Amino acid sequence: MPPKVRELIEKLEKAGFRDRGGKGSHRHFVHPNVSKPVTLAGKPGDDAKRYQIRAVEQAVKESQS
């Protein structure tokens, strides 16, 4: 079962990302060490899509280096 969008948000916030806001159900997360913002769409209770999971994992990895 895929993780929920809220779980991805928690993972980003633990890694030091800041919610820059967004429009509608979109949220943009930024980090000083990551070149591109991470955009998550969907309500917090929705299942996360594969591309969202991959984007969060790559961004967290990039923020640690």
Side-chain angles (χ1 to χ4, degrees), residues 13-44:
E13 288 175 343
K14 277 186 182 178
F17 283 79
R18 190 175 53 84
D19 188 355
R20 197 179 72 184
K23 225 175 184 183
S25 66
H26 289 72
R27 289 170 224 70
H28 306 288
F29 291 89
V30 292
H31 191 281
N33 298 338
V34 179
S35 57
K36 296 170 93 176
V38 178
T39 302
L40 291 178
K43 298 176 188 170

